[in-house]
Amino acid sequence: SPGRARHINASRRACLVARFGFIYAQDRFDAETLLRTYISDVETVQRIIYTAAVESFYAAKMAYWKFKIHVKEALSLGHSGPESLEDAVLDYIVCHKDEYDVHASVKEVIRSMNINPKISFPPEIDFIVLSTLIQELCCLAFSMQTLIPPLDVAFGIDGELFNESKYYRSPDSDFTAAFVAYHVWPALVEDGVVIVKGEVVTKR
């Protein structure tokens, strides 16, 4: 019979998508308010938070991949069914998400941000001030990998053609501009299809 994880996949997916929306609406706003006390330029602040979101998903996906390999190796030694080994692995990860070392992922995200040439921070401050937001995003992204299919954030690049099925324009955008100047928040995708739009600023 299918594993428990498959049975509750739809309800978990709905909760995780809702959590993504809450982080965008509340946690992102809190982080932006915090950064504005150090950095006056809104674009720089928004670029930093967007980078934190994308890097958090990447770090969590890498951690999930390693964790899954470890669990699969351990369970394969004594697995006999009735569910498949893949289902057993997924069930285990869903029930033991607390074994995910999120703090290691947070450190990895901050390290990646520190060497990202697109963002810079005043020397008297460190990206560690965003640890709360990064931790929330890493935990969310890790849980999203346990869905079937998993959820991910869309890849975005400065200068890409604005796509209204993928993004909302920020209020301070030039609404006649055809190209993305920079990203504020990533879109959420499932099997390559956007299920939650991201936010961008368009300028000429």
Side-chain angles (χ1 to χ4, degrees):
S1 63
R4 293 185 305 279
R6 293 181 189 272
H7 283 304
I8 62 173
N9 190 69
S11 60
R12 288 197 305 114
R13 177 186 181 278
C15 289
L16 293 173
V17 171
R19 181 63 189 152
F20 182 79
F22 181 83
I23 291 175
Y24 165 71
Q26 187 61 55
D27 297 42
R28 177 190 65 89
F29 177 78
D30 292 344
E32 190 170 305
T33 301
L34 174 64
L35 289 184
R36 289 294 299 276
T37 64
Y38 304 108
I39 306 170
S40 59
D41 182 57
V42 175
E43 178 178 335
T44 300
V45 167
Q46 292 180 332
R47 281 182 179 273
I48 288 171
I49 292 174
Y50 173 79
T51 302
V54 172
E55 291 291 348
S56 294
F57 265 79
Y58 179 77
K61 285 190 296 179
M62 291 301 101
Y64 176 81
W65 178 70
K66 293 176 183 176
F67 188 51
K68 184 178 180 181
I69 290 175
H70 172 71
V71 171
K72 194 169 187 177
E73 288 175 348
L75 294 185
S76 64
L77 298 176
H79 180 74
S80 58
E83 62 183 356
S84 70
L85 178 58
E86 279 294 322
D87 280 342
V89 168
L90 197 56
D91 281 350
Y92 181 91
I93 296 175
V94 168
C95 294
H96 298 84
K97 290 195 298 291
D98 57 326
E99 293 182 18
Y100 164 43
D101 187 358
V102 66
H103 299 294
S105 289
V106 171
K107 290 179 182 177
E108 180 62 26
V109 171
I110 293 172
R111 186 197 67 79
S112 296
M113 292 176 70
N114 281 329
I115 60 174
N116 189 311
K118 286 190 176 182
I119 55 176
S120 59
F121 220 115
E124 65 273 14
I125 289 300
D126 193 283
F127 287 125
I128 199 166
V129 298
L130 293 176
S131 291
T132 300
L133 174 67
I134 293 170
Q135 182 170 325
E136 283 292 320
L137 285 164
C138 284
C139 288
L140 175 70
F142 187 88
S143 292
M144 283 181 167
Q145 302 316 298
T146 67
L147 296 173
I148 305 168
L151 303 182
D152 198 1
V153 289
F155 178 73
I157 54 171
D158 292 351
E160 67 178 293
L161 188 66
F162 175 74
N163 181 344
E164 65 180 20
S165 66
K166 186 177 181 181
Y167 301 118
Y168 293 110
R169 281 185 168 98
S170 285
D172 54 345
S173 294
D174 177 343
F175 279 72
T176 64
F179 298 97
V180 173
Y182 65 92
H183 298 73
V184 175
W185 193 251
L188 190 67
V189 296
E190 180 181 60
D191 268 350
V193 177
V194 174
I195 59 172
V196 179
K197 289 184 182 181
E199 182 180 343
V200 297
V201 172
T202 54
K203 292 180 181 177
R204 287 191 179 277

